[in-house]
């Protein structure tokens, strides 16, 4: 492992793999709504591999957010990913 290792390591909530923070996408779940992390509230990370595996990531989201709103997560996730790739 590199000695100058100061990039924060975070865990993907879906596959539980650890990676450097800048390679994971950070989300927030506030007031029953999923979004890209905007600087406040509780947040969690999802890796790029999992973001491409819809079923898997939605399962993880439902567990993480303690919500059974599968369809809501599915459509919201699509919006977020599309926005993210544009910027
Ligand atoms: Zn993952």
């Amino acid at each position: 492992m590199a000695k100058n290792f100061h990039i924060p390591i975070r865990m993907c909530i879906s596959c539980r793999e650890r990676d450097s923070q800048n390679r994971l996408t950070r989300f927030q779940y506030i007031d029953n709504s999923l979004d890209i992390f905007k600087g406040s509230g509780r947040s969690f990370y999802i890796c790029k591999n999992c973001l491409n595996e819809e079923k898997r990531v939605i399962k993880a989201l439902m567990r993480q957010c303690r919500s059974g709103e599968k369809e809501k997560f599915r459509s919201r996730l699509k919006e977020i990913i599309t926005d993210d790739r544009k910027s």
Side-chain angles (χ1 to χ4, degrees), residues 9-19 24 47 49:
I9 299 296
R10 296 290 181 265
M11 189 180 76
C12 168
I13 58 154
S14 177
C15 62
R16 298 179 184 271
E17 291 286 329
R18 286 163 202 275
D19 207 339
L24 300 163
C47 74
N49 291 344

Side-chain angles (χ1 to χ4, degrees), residues 11-61:
M11 189 180 76
C12 168
I13 58 154
S14 177
C15 62
R16 298 179 184 271
E17 291 286 329
R18 286 163 202 275
D19 207 339
S20 56
Q21 191 174 7
N22 54 14
R23 287 165 52 88
L24 300 163
T25 304
R26 193 174 189 182
F27 291 90
Q28 65 181 27
Y29 186 70
I30 295 171
D31 298 331
N32 296 315
S33 123
L34 179 74
D35 211 338
I36 286 285
F37 185 64
K38 302 230 170 76
S40 68
R42 295 190 65 176
S43 67
F44 50 89
Y45 296 85
I46 299 173
C47 74
K48 290 186 170 59
N49 291 344
C50 289
L51 284 178
N52 290 323
E53 283 189 62
E54 192 187 77
K55 272 187 183 166
R56 190 173 185 177
V57 76
I58 287 169
K59 223 172 158 180
L61 283 168

